[in-house]
Amino acid sequence: MTYNRLREAQSSAVQIIENSYKNQRLSHAYIFEGDAGTMKRDAAIFFASLCLCNAERKPCGECQICRRINHSAHPNVYHIKPSKKNILKEDIRLLHEEFSKTALETGPKITIIEHADRMNAYASNALLKFLEEPHPNTYALLLVEDASLLLPTIQSRAQTIHFHRLPGAIIEQHLTTTGVDPTLAKLAAQTTAHIDAAENFVNHPDLYTLIESVNQIYEAFLDQASLVLLFDKISSDLLNDELIVELYLDILIHYQKDIIYGKMDHYTKIIFEEHQDIITRVGAQKTTSMLLEELEMMMAIKVNQKHYINTRLAFDNLMLALERRNHSEE
Amino acid sequence: MAYTALYRTYRPRDFDEIAGQEHITKTFKNALEKGKLSHAYLFSGPRGTGKTSIAKIIAKAVNCEHAPVANPCNQCDLCLGIDQNIINDVIEIDAASNNGVDEIRELRDKVKYLPGHGKYKVYIIDEVHMLSIGAFNALLKTLEEPPKHVIFILATTEPHKIPATIHSRCQRFDFRGIHTKEMLTRLNEIVDKESLDIEPEALRVIAESAEGGMRDAISLLDQVVSYSNEMITVNDVHAIQGSITDDAMIEIAMAIQASDIIKAMEILDQLLSEGKESHRFIDDLIVFYRDILVVKNTHSKEGKSLFEKPAFEKIMDALSNPMVFHYLDILNQAKQDMRLASQGKLYLELAFIKMLDVTIKQDVVMRESMMRLTEKVKTLENQIENLQNRIEAKKDEGQNVVRSVFDDIVQSSPDTKPVVNESDTLDETEKQPVPPQPKIDVPKQPIAQESPYVKLYKKYEAKQYRTYDIRFVEDVLNTGDREVKIEMVQKWYDIERFIDEERANYAKLITDGDLVATNGAMLIVSYDSAATCNRLMKPDVKRKIIEVLEDYYGRKMLFMALPINVWKKVSAEFIKKFRAKTTDDDFITLSPIEDSRLKEIPEEKESYEDVISENVKTAKDLFGDIVKVKKGD
């Protein structure tokens, strides 16, 4: 395992860890904070390997120690994951016990707590003392998506290292270099911060048809046709699959955003450049507040879609909203 | 030896090293010196304010070889031993992991044993709010009357979770968040001791972002030191925190102000690509606008270095309170939405577009200027009232003075004119300075005490007015009472709500018009069309209306409806004549109302003499009661 990708994506986090190690200023507890897919776990393994690896250029990622760490098989590295839904006090008690014993192998002991925000109140408070007066030569790494979900007293006892999402530009560039259509690359970069997810996104077989059907909606609007009826026709292909609905909504949202940007004369931000004509014409027939309202509706559907709403009804409602136009400007 | 975090290395060792909390350290120093320590204390306060530190210092001070002392010597074996956690007279209990009844029972059993080294056994129970209810109750008795050699110190961040019975057995000390200034002093000490290279500004940002928690500040300092190789700059601090620099913030605020979407989006994109998180961004923006609001309204620039930047001031001056509220509403909404969704960036963009949208902004500006207008009108009204009072006072000194003062009012308010023209909602009389009432024999009283108005009513009811009698208007205007009018106008539109459903349509009819003049007993209401007036002035309708008004305002009043154009003409004439008059007691007469659309409606009588013609009346005058009128078919 090499850490090049980690170094590339999270350079400042790696810098903090490496500098601290070099200056022998490693803190006894760290919170790795960042969205899913920001390589927090990789960084935790990097941290452990850095402390334990004996190679000259640490961490080598190839020696036996590094490999064992990578496979969660090193006795000095203690993993805690939520066993069911939460991390319980019992888990933390085991941790206390484990760490009061001397290490099996040389070097420091490292505990990695994944989803640390899922510790319940007892577990968090039990962890507090562990962090306050840690056993010598031990390190705790708390992996969490949002550090503010941890107790404030935990936060102040640990150093928080921030893992940022991959910038859209990097994903876009990565996709275009592999030969993806620039529009799709832009769209993918906007919808996800995962390189893998972005690749999946552009390779989705229905992507082109979906874009086309979104385009149809706005064309129908310009032709003053009924959007509800039009949507009725395409809905059967659409609404059966949750993934497709999400994809469709993503496209719709960014199309709508394009219209808003077009209306504000901010053309460089537009993603669907080939439809610029439609975008400006739709924009001319609506007020900005109407467009914003519609966009909010779309985003609300996207959030609520996971909560068992009547998707069909929500979409019909949206289509009705989309049919409105600003009569004073006609 | 392994590296220990800075905040642990620099845990204060005596009371003088504690940053802030003087109200607590002073109390304890005195208590320690005089040997008047209580047996149980409860420390509460936010994280990193020194609860555990002070508890440990107390433990050292009571056991110190030189006791009683205000500060532990930190040199004797006992002090050093306690610092190194090797003296078992000081027992630190983590209530979070020992929260059961059993643990507390064990504690209770051991309490009675004498201390081994020092004079006191000090129990420091940290995170005490995590004890179970059973455990709390088990502790109660021990806490109430512990052996002489025991001191309990309970520390918690959440005092409200502690039972009242525990509270009342302890002396409670509330720890405050540490002030930025005090924090800076302490941080500077650490920087000196560690000989670190750090920009003063960076230190300041650290102190500010710690929000009162000393440990947070030192942790952050520790982290920044690890992050940067040489000189520590402000940017390092921001990079670690993922927060946004003041300059970037100002740049964004400027772009939003100028509704420059291209610039704003550029900055947004750039910041996000640098790895700033969108939810963090929103938080920072909210804090920024909150700061603007605070500094703008309190005029105190203390607290943050940001406040002293000229650009900040510029933004602050250009923003009005309602606009800031508007921004904050948008941002708060976005923050809330973001919590549920995975694509924070989208909401951030949406919030930006909303904040940049010119038409929405205009709405806010409109509302705001309306507010300012009303305020201006109000101050003008007050001014006029003051002047009126002065006129009253000077009435005896000669009429000329009065006139010149009144002319002054008219001339001194030219700046209101353009403003007033913008708004159509203000009614006509508000525009003109309302003439002072010459005959203010009406004392200023709330409407409820009706005697003066009843008198007025009786006086004028006797006069038989014709339907659109100019004498009515003359009487109202000459005896007009501004205060009553304002009071009545304020309630005017509520008539509909207070009148029962049966007569709701009358109430609606009334409030369709504007109350333009009144003296408390008579009112003139203006309507858009003459036809409405004709309808309202029909005797049966008029009677109903007077009834409704009586029910609502609590007294009988005479009522006249006038079309708005007629009213304008009449009031203009009145004002002209009012300015021209020589003495206060002049009764101003006006030219009669002429409008072809207004119909004179004959007054009805309720008796069988429905219509008394002029002839019959003369006959009655001449012959008295013997006149009998026969109704023709």
Side-chain angles (χ1 to χ4, degrees):
Chain A
M1 181 172 176
T2 59
Y3 298 95
N4 289 339
R5 210 161 129 189
L6 176 71
R7 278 178 206 278
E8 196 180 299
Q10 306 290 351
S11 57
S12 73
V14 173
Q15 191 192 338
I16 294 176
I17 298 170
E18 279 193 322
N19 274 356
S20 308
Y21 181 78
K22 232 183 286 165
N23 304 335
Q24 300 217 320
R25 299 186 66 98
L26 277 182
S27 164
H28 59 278
Y30 285 95
I31 297 171
F32 287 0
E33 179 203 34
D35 284 347
T38 46
M39 316 180 88
K40 295 187 295 287
R41 202 172 170 279
D42 291 350
I45 288 171
F46 172 81
F47 184 100
S49 312
L50 187 68
C51 296
L52 293 166
C53 180
N54 291 326
E56 201 152 293
R57 216 173 143 263
K58 298 184 208 184
C60 63
E62 277 152 13
C63 66
Q64 193 208 18
I65 294 174
C66 284
R67 287 216 308 273
R68 274 197 296 164
I69 292 171
N70 204 9
H71 292 110
S72 317
H74 199 285
N76 280 16
V77 182
Y78 194 81
H79 280 270
I80 296 182
K81 271 186 223 167
S83 45
K84 282 178 201 144
K85 227 181 150 187
N86 288 323
I87 298 176
L88 306 174
K89 189 184 157 198
E90 186 60 22
D91 297 320
I92 305 296
R93 203 185 53 76
L94 283 175
L95 176 76
H96 272 277
E97 241 167 55
E98 187 68 30
F99 274 68
S100 53
K101 300 168 192 158
T102 26
L104 271 173
E105 295 195 18
T106 48
K109 295 217 254 179
I110 293 142
T111 169
I112 299 172
I113 305 180
E114 286 180 45
H115 297 289
D117 53 323
R118 292 212 239 151
M119 282 190 286
N120 65 14
Y122 293 108
S124 326
N125 278 288
L127 188 71
L128 266 187
K129 267 292 158 197
F130 180 74
L131 295 181
E132 172 101 16
E133 307 282 334
H135 307 275
N137 218 6
T138 62
Y139 301 102
L141 307 175
L142 282 69
L143 275 44
V144 62
E145 283 186 22
D146 182 357
S148 62
L149 295 173
L150 293 172
L151 283 187
T153 33
I154 291 190
Q155 285 176 50
S156 77
R157 280 178 173 86
Q159 292 191 11
T160 305
I161 296 183
H162 207 81
F163 285 70
H164 55 75
R165 291 165 66 115
L166 282 185
I170 287 189
I171 294 178
E172 198 184 320
Q173 203 188 346
H174 172 83
L175 290 176
T176 37
T177 47
T178 53
V180 176
D181 182 70
T183 306
L184 293 186
K186 243 189 207 174
L187 185 61
Q190 289 287 328
T191 48
T192 177
H194 267 258
I195 284 203
D196 297 341
E199 271 168 0
N200 283 341
F201 181 90
V202 292
N203 291 330
H204 197 281
D206 291 334
L207 193 59
Y208 279 106
T209 31
L210 286 173
I211 293 178
E212 194 39 50
S213 74
V214 169
N215 198 33
Q216 261 175 24
I217 295 271
Y218 287 101
E219 268 177 349
F221 169 79
L222 290 174
D223 298 340
Q224 315 224 348
S226 164
L227 303 190
V228 181
L229 289 182
L230 173 68
F231 185 76
D232 191 42
K233 269 181 230 156
I234 52 174
S235 63
S236 54
D237 306 330
L238 205 67
L239 294 181
N240 293 330
D241 189 341
E242 227 174 78
L243 271 177
I244 292 194
V245 174
E246 206 171 334
L247 211 56
Y248 185 73
L249 271 171
D250 275 336
I251 299 167
L252 204 57
I253 286 170
H254 286 100
Y255 210 110
Q256 181 82 4
K257 232 173 62 182
D258 280 359
I259 295 171
I260 295 172
Y261 283 133
K263 199 170 170 59
M264 297 184 120
D265 291 331
H266 192 23
Y267 290 105
T268 45
K269 286 280 278 186
I270 286 182
I271 297 171
F272 297 101
E273 279 164 353
E274 63 263 47
H275 300 308
Q276 193 154 334
D277 174 46
I278 297 175
I279 285 168
T280 37
R281 276 168 60 206
V282 173
Q285 293 196 26
K286 293 189 182 227
T287 61
T288 317
S289 37
M290 272 162 124
L291 290 167
L292 285 172
E293 208 178 287
E294 289 155 21
L295 181 57
E296 274 177 340
M297 278 176 90
M298 294 171 188
M299 284 154 78
I301 298 180
K302 194 169 173 216
V303 173
N304 292 331
Q305 183 214 353
K306 286 166 196 144
H307 302 306
Y308 306 104
I309 54 158
N310 187 335
T311 323
R312 178 66 206 266
L313 212 55
F315 267 106
D316 282 349
N317 205 4
L318 174 67
M319 291 301 148
L320 276 175
L322 285 176
E323 276 180 20
R324 299 173 308 172
R325 57 193 81 221
N326 186 10
H327 289 286
S328 61
E329 283 184 27
E330 264 178 26
Chain B
M1 192 189 138
Y3 172 75
T4 40
L6 276 184
Y7 80 79
R8 291 173 61 211
T9 327
Y10 290 95
R11 203 183 256 295
R13 299 177 69 216
D14 62 37
F15 287 119
D16 299 327
E17 280 183 25
I18 300 264
Q21 319 298 5
E22 258 146 45
H23 59 298
I24 294 166
T25 49
K26 208 168 167 190
T27 316
F28 275 117
K29 274 190 195 169
N30 285 335
L32 283 166
E33 222 163 12
K34 292 177 184 149
K36 286 192 174 173
L37 228 50
S38 163
H39 59 265
Y41 291 99
L42 175 63
F43 290 174
S44 65
R47 81 248 118 77
T49 47
K51 294 181 296 296
T52 316
S53 303
I54 287 191
K56 282 190 174 165
I57 294 170
I58 293 171
K60 279 191 284 184
V62 289
N63 284 321
C64 180
E65 283 174 6
H66 305 91
V69 281
N71 258 327
C73 67
N74 282 325
Q75 278 156 7
C76 62
D77 291 345
L78 277 162
C79 283
L80 290 175
I82 292 170
D83 263 344
Q84 287 160 23
N85 270 338
I86 47 170
I87 298 226
N88 52 14
D89 290 346
V90 178
I91 301 131
E92 236 188 298
I93 298 168
D94 164 26
S97 21
N98 305 299
N99 60 352
V101 185
D102 292 339
E103 279 100 350
I104 297 297
R105 280 207 190 117
E106 197 188 326
L107 178 151
R108 217 183 46 184
D109 293 342
K110 285 183 186 163
V111 156
K112 55 179 182 267
Y113 302 123
L114 286 173
H117 301 79
K119 276 174 249 162
Y120 286 97
K121 271 169 102 169
V122 182
Y123 283 89
I124 301 173
I125 309 184
D126 232 344
E127 326 296 340
V128 74
H129 59 271
M130 288 309 291
L131 285 185
S132 65
I133 297 171
F136 269 128
N137 288 327
L139 191 63
L140 273 182
K141 210 55 200 152
T142 325
L143 208 56
E144 181 153 21
E145 285 175 345
K148 268 184 193 159
H149 57 263
V150 170
I151 295 174
F152 280 104
I153 300 176
L154 316 180
T156 179
T157 46
E158 291 165 78
H160 55 273
K161 284 192 181 162
I162 304 215
T165 39
I166 296 266
H167 266 285
S168 68
R169 283 173 172 82
C170 302
Q171 282 190 19
R172 178 169 163 182
F173 286 87
D174 281 322
F175 286 63
R176 296 194 207 112
I178 297 165
H179 201 271
T180 313
K181 237 186 245 164
E182 295 159 342
M183 208 177 290
L184 272 178
T185 330
R186 181 80 181 137
L187 284 177
N188 270 318
E189 279 172 31
I190 296 175
V191 166
D192 285 347
K193 275 186 200 155
E194 290 276 305
S195 49
L196 303 170
D197 271 340
I198 182 162
E199 281 181 3
E201 186 59 28
L203 214 53
R204 195 171 167 145
V205 173
I206 291 176
E208 275 167 13
S209 64
E211 286 167 2
M214 194 71 220
R215 185 171 49 214
D216 295 45
I218 302 177
S219 277
L220 188 57
L221 176 67
D222 203 349
Q223 207 169 340
V224 179
V225 173
S226 321
Y227 174 70
S228 44
N229 295 320
E230 296 144 20
M231 181 81 178
I232 299 161
T233 64
V234 186
N235 287 338
D236 293 337
V237 181
H238 283 295
I240 281 204
Q241 278 219 299
S243 57
I244 287 144
T245 59
D246 291 348
D247 291 334
M249 203 53 121
I250 283 172
E251 224 176 310
I252 293 166
M254 296 263 235
I256 289 175
Q257 200 133 312
S259 290
D260 183 350
I261 180 148
I262 297 173
K263 181 85 187 287
M265 286 296 168
E266 231 169 57
I267 304 171
L268 177 65
D269 280 348
Q270 201 207 325
L271 285 173
L272 290 179
S273 70
E274 276 172 19
K276 312 286 187 210
E277 293 297 316
S278 31
H279 64 95
R280 186 82 200 223
F281 198 168
I282 284 254
D283 283 346
D284 284 357
L285 269 173
I286 290 175
V287 170
F288 180 81
Y289 281 114
R290 176 205 153 271
D291 284 347
I292 284 197
L293 212 53
V294 171
V295 177
K296 192 178 172 65
N297 291 297
T298 59
H299 303 289
S300 104
K301 286 192 175 172
E302 269 176 45
K304 291 192 186 171
S305 53
L306 167 71
F307 301 160
E308 274 139 36
K309 294 199 171 155
F312 179 80
E313 222 164 292
K314 223 165 124 195
I315 294 170
M316 190 175 77
D317 290 342
L319 276 173
S320 61
N321 279 356
M323 191 60 95
V324 181
F325 289 138
H326 168 66
Y327 287 160
L328 284 173
D329 279 346
I330 295 175
L331 292 169
N332 273 328
Q333 182 62 44
K335 187 178 151 98
Q336 225 164 40
D337 291 341
M338 244 184 222
R339 212 162 275 169
L340 294 166
S342 54
Q343 287 175 310
K345 191 185 165 214
L346 217 54
Y347 285 97
L348 198 59
E349 279 180 50
L350 191 64
F352 261 60
I353 296 171
K354 275 195 205 159
M355 279 162 56
L356 286 158
D357 191 76
V358 184
T359 50
I360 301 176
K361 268 190 191 174
Q362 271 168 356
D363 273 1
V364 179
V365 173
M366 264 296 274
R367 242 180 290 144
E368 186 196 328
S369 53
M370 276 305 289
M371 247 165 61
R372 230 183 285 147
L373 252 180
T374 6
E375 222 164 79
K376 232 177 196 171
V377 172
K378 220 176 261 167
T379 47
L380 269 175
E381 280 175 354
N382 284 340
Q383 272 177 9
I384 291 171
E385 199 174 308
N386 283 341
L387 285 167
Q388 258 175 30
N389 292 341
R390 266 169 60 195
I391 293 170
E392 276 295 291
K394 291 189 180 173
K395 207 171 173 184
D396 305 330
E397 295 173 21
Q399 308 299 339
N400 290 337
V401 186
V402 177
R403 267 197 62 202
S404 63
V405 170
F406 184 61
D407 285 346
D408 280 351
I409 322 171
V410 178
Q411 279 156 17
S412 70
S413 51
D415 61 314
T416 57
K417 276 191 181 153
V419 186
V420 171
N421 285 340
E422 278 174 21
S423 132
D424 296 324
T425 54
L426 296 171
D427 78 36
E428 193 65 19
T429 43
E430 295 280 338
K431 276 191 195 176
Q432 312 288 353
V434 177
Q437 277 66 50
K439 291 181 195 166
I440 308 193
D441 50 358
V442 184
K444 291 171 187 171
Q445 269 176 342
I447 302 183
Q449 291 167 321
E450 49 194 6
S451 54
Y453 302 120
V454 172
K455 228 188 276 169
L456 267 178
Y457 176 76
K458 280 188 182 142
K459 183 176 159 195
Y460 291 108
E461 196 210 9
K463 287 195 184 182
Q464 299 267 327
Y465 296 111
R466 279 177 293 116
T467 314
Y468 295 106
D469 200 334
I470 191 65
R471 286 184 300 143
F472 185 99
V473 182
E474 282 166 8
D475 286 340
V476 174
L477 289 180
N478 277 299
T479 59
D481 188 332
R482 239 171 50 80
E483 273 177 38
V484 174
K485 189 196 152 194
I486 292 171
E487 209 172 330
M488 286 172 69
V489 166
Q490 273 171 0
K491 296 186 188 168
W492 188 247
Y493 293 100
D494 283 341
I495 296 179
E496 282 179 58
R497 264 194 283 156
F498 283 94
I499 293 305
D500 46 282
E501 267 181 42
E502 251 173 77
R503 292 179 295 172
N505 46 348
Y506 288 103
K508 182 88 187 59
L509 264 178
I510 295 170
T511 51
D512 271 349
D514 292 320
L515 176 62
V516 287
T518 181
N519 61 0
M522 305 154 86
L523 28 105
I524 300 177
V525 182
S526 76
Y527 289 88
D528 288 343
S529 83
T532 318
C533 294
N534 283 334
R535 196 150 73 86
L536 288 171
M537 292 305 276
K538 275 187 194 161
D540 52 331
V541 180
K542 193 167 153 187
R543 212 166 35 239
K544 274 275 194 218
I545 285 178
I546 288 172
E547 209 175 275
V548 167
L549 287 172
E550 187 188 351
D551 282 0
Y552 182 64
Y553 283 112
R555 58 167 187 271
K556 244 188 148 87
M557 285 176 289
L558 296 170
F559 171 84
M560 180 187 258
L562 273 184
I564 183 87
N565 52 341
V566 174
W567 162 251
K568 274 186 188 168
K569 224 190 291 169
V570 173
S571 61
E573 189 186 347
F574 178 80
I575 285 164
K576 207 169 134 202
K577 286 194 176 165
F578 184 86
R579 283 183 201 163
K581 74 176 183 175
T582 44
T583 64
D584 264 1
D585 294 331
D586 275 356
F587 187 84
I588 296 167
T589 49
L590 302 167
S591 41
I593 298 168
E594 279 169 13
D595 195 315
S596 55
R597 291 168 304 164
L598 293 177
K599 282 182 209 145
E600 190 63 28
I601 299 153
E603 194 78 19
E604 283 177 278
K605 282 282 144 86
E606 279 165 37
S607 65
Y608 66 93
E609 296 163 292
D610 272 336
V611 185
I612 305 174
S613 72
E614 221 37 44
N615 293 343
V616 175
K617 215 177 168 191
T618 346
K620 264 193 172 177
D621 286 351
L622 284 174
F623 301 105
D625 278 348
I626 52 167
V627 176
K628 282 189 179 165
V629 183
K630 265 193 178 175
K631 222 177 173 185
D633 293 318

